[in-house]
Amino acid sequence: MIPPGETIGILGGGQLGRMIAMAAAQLGYRCHVYAPEADSIAAEVSAAFTCARWDDAEAMAAFAADCAVITYEFENVPVGPLTTLGEAALLPNPRALEIAQDRLSEKRFVSDLGGTPAPFAPVDSPADLAGAVAAIGVPGILKTRRDGYDGKGQWRIMAAADAEGLDLPAKPLIYEGLVRFFAEFSVILCRGADGDIRYFDSPHNVHEGGILSTSTLPAPGAVLEQVPAARGLAAKVAEALGYVGVLTLEFFATESGPVFNEMAPRVHNSGHWTIEGAITSQFENHVRAICALPLGGTGLAAKAVEMRNLIGDEAHDWPAILADPANHLHLYGKAAARPGRKMGHVTRLTFG
Ligand code: AMP
C-alpha cells in the first residue's frame, strides 16, 4: 500500500492528468507530472513538473526516483523509454499501453479473448488498400493504426472508388467495415491491486465528428441489455493483462450484440460524469487502485446524469452554464480554444 503523503507520477500533462491529480490531492497524495509540453494543465494543479522529451532517459530516471508509483493519462506515451523507470511501479502495466496504442493489436487481442470487433484488415502500404476494401467491403473507415484520437487520422470510404487517389500518410493503417449501430456505450471498470473489479454504470455516448459529445445515464434499455456481455469481455481484458487501475472499452450496440470499438488503458472522457454522478469518481478509484487502497463504490449518485463536453468556443458559455444551479462546470484551463479542442465539460444530475 502506498500511504497518503507519497508522490504519484503522471505521464502526460492534459485534462485527464489534471483530474487524476485533483483526486489524488483529496486523498493526501502529491503528484509529479512528466510531459514534453511546457503548458501542462495537469502540472498547474500538481506539486512537481518535469518538462522533458519522452526519450530523455536522465529526466525520466530522476522523475521515477521521486515517485512511489507512476501512471499515465495519455496512451501514446512511447513504451521504449519506460524501461528506464527502474524500481518505480508503472500501473497499469505497459503491456496494456502497448496493445492499446495499436488498433490492429487491440482488435486481435480482443478477438482472441472472444470479443467481436468490426471486420478489419491491415493496410501496411497504399498498395494494400484496394485488397482490404475488396475483402471487407464498403462502406468502411480507414484509420491510422497509431496516434489517432477524436476522429483524427480517419477516412470514410463509402464506395470502392473513394479509396483511389487518397493522400495517405506513410504509416501503417487499418481498414474497418462501418458498423451499423443503434447506439454507442462504454464499459468503465476499475481493477484493484487485489484483483477486485468494480464497474461504473455504462453511459450512452454520442459522438459528433468523431469526438465525444455527451454521455448519458442511465443508458436506454436496449443498450443496458448489452452491458453484461460487454462487461464480461472487459473483465477478460483486465484479467489477461493483470491490469490495475481504470480501464475503458468502447462498444457499438448493434442488433447482433455489442461490437468492440477500442480500448483505453486509462480514465476516460465517457467517465467524467463520475466526479459528481457516481459514489466514487473514476479518478479517485484509479488513484486508490494504483496505491493498493480499497476501491470506492461505483453506483450512480443520482437518478440520471448527463455529461456534455465543451468543445472549442462552447466553453465561452460558462456564465450561462453557471446560471443554472444544477450544472457542475469543469474548465480545464487551456489557453486557446481551437475547433475540436476539449476545453471543459458540464455535468447535470437529476434526482426527481
Ligand atoms: P474511434 O477514434 O475509432 O473511436 O472513432 C471515433 C468514432 O467514429 C466512434 O466513436 C464512432 O462514432 C465512429 N466510428 C469509428 N469506427 C467506426 C466503425 N467501424 N463503424 C462505425 N462507426 C465508427
Side-chain angles (χ1 to χ4, degrees), residues 180-266:
R180 287 168 166 274
F181 58 82
F182 61 82
E184 292 185 75
F185 68 100
S186 45
V187 170
I188 307 162
L189 66 74
C190 187
R191 186 168 183 272
D194 58 357
D196 178 24
I197 292 183
R198 304 271 173 103
Y199 300 93
F200 290 95
D201 283 50
S202 276
H204 171 214
N205 301 325
V206 174
H207 292 81
E208 278 172 25
I211 304 177
L212 182 67
S213 173
T214 57
S215 292
T216 311
L217 299 105
V223 171
L224 291 179
E225 282 172 16
Q226 307 206 354
V227 169
R231 282 186 178 178
L233 179 64
K236 281 189 194 170
V237 170
E239 301 287 355
L241 293 169
Y243 197 92
V244 175
V246 170
L247 169 72
T248 308
L249 269 71
E250 292 183 84
F251 290 91
F252 302 118
T254 77
E255 296 305 334
S256 53
V259 170
F260 167 82
N261 178 25
E262 63 179 352
M263 63 184 255
R266 54 167 169 77

Side-chain angles (χ1 to χ4, degrees), residues 1-2 8 20 23-24 26-27 29 91 190-194 198 244-246 279-297:
M1 194 186 76
I2 295 170
I8 298 172
I20 292 171
Q26 185 187 323
L27 288 173
Y29 294 98
L91 294 172
C190 187
R191 186 168 183 272
D194 58 357
R198 304 271 173 103
V244 175
V246 170
I279 303 294
T280 312
S281 79
Q282 61 166 351
F283 302 100
E284 178 175 340
N285 259 345
H286 186 72
V287 169
R288 289 187 187 215
I290 63 172
C291 293
L293 305 180
L295 302 182

Side-chain angles (χ1 to χ4, degrees), residues 13-343:
Q15 65 265 23
L16 300 179
R18 180 178 174 99
M19 289 184 270
I20 292 171
M22 288 161 75
Q26 185 187 323
L27 288 173
Y29 294 98
R30 64 191 288 279
C31 286
H32 187 157
V33 169
Y34 188 111
E37 308 81 26
D39 58 343
S40 164
I41 54 171
E44 274 176 7
V45 300
S46 296
F49 180 33
T50 298
C51 178
R53 290 164 49 113
W54 295 121
D55 60 1
D56 184 335
E58 210 174 304
M60 189 66 89
F63 162 74
D66 185 44
C67 300
V69 63
I70 297 170
T71 191
Y72 43 88
E73 62 102 63
F74 170 67
E75 76 256 37
N76 292 319
V77 175
V79 176
L82 303 183
T83 52
T84 56
L85 290 179
E87 294 295 301
L90 177 65
L91 294 172
N93 72 57
R95 175 95 182 102
L97 261 186
E98 230 167 358
I99 292 171
Q101 283 177 353
D102 180 350
R103 293 183 189 275
L104 182 62
S105 50
E106 73 180 356
K107 284 190 170 58
R108 284 184 173 151
F109 183 73
V110 162
S111 303
D112 289 347
L113 292 172
T116 309
F120 63 94
V123 177
D124 294 331
S125 72
D128 295 347
L129 181 56
V133 172
I136 304 294
V138 287
I141 309 188
L142 183 66
K143 300 178 179 178
T144 53
R145 274 172 54 181
R146 293 176 168 275
D147 299 330
Y149 64 96
D150 288 346
K152 294 189 174 70
Q154 302 191 1
W155 298 263
R156 291 210 172 205
I157 302 205
M158 304 313 284
D162 295 346
E164 291 161 21
L166 284 180
D167 186 17
L168 298 176
K171 288 180 177 175
L173 304 163
I174 182 170
Y175 180 68
E176 298 177 12
L178 198 71
V179 176
R180 287 168 166 274
F181 58 82
F182 61 82
E184 292 185 75
F185 68 100
S186 45
V187 170
I188 307 162
L189 66 74
C190 187
R191 186 168 183 272
D194 58 357
D196 178 24
I197 292 183
R198 304 271 173 103
Y199 300 93
F200 290 95
D201 283 50
S202 276
H204 171 214
N205 301 325
V206 174
H207 292 81
E208 278 172 25
I211 304 177
L212 182 67
S213 173
T214 57
S215 292
T216 311
L217 299 105
V223 171
L224 291 179
E225 282 172 16
Q226 307 206 354
V227 169
R231 282 186 178 178
L233 179 64
K236 281 189 194 170
V237 170
E239 301 287 355
L241 293 169
Y243 197 92
V244 175
V246 170
L247 169 72
T248 308
L249 269 71
E250 292 183 84
F251 290 91
F252 302 118
T254 77
E255 296 305 334
S256 53
V259 170
F260 167 82
N261 178 25
E262 63 179 352
M263 63 184 255
R266 54 167 169 77
V267 290
H268 194 257
N269 192 172
S270 68
H272 288 2
W273 61 271
T274 60
I275 296 175
E276 295 88 7
I279 303 294
T280 312
S281 79
Q282 61 166 351
F283 302 100
E284 178 175 340
N285 259 345
H286 186 72
V287 169
R288 289 187 187 215
I290 63 172
C291 293
L293 305 180
L295 302 182
T298 45
L300 274 185
K303 191 169 178 217
V305 184
E306 192 197 59
M307 187 287 308
R308 181 165 64 89
N309 269 336
L310 299 174
I311 296 173
D313 288 346
E314 287 168 358
H316 292 166
D317 291 340
W318 64 265
I321 293 168
L322 284 179
D324 181 337
N327 284 337
H328 294 275
L329 176 66
H330 297 254
L331 294 176
Y332 305 146
K334 293 183 184 176
R338 289 194 294 273
R341 192 168 198 212
K342 292 173 180 167
M343 303 300 290

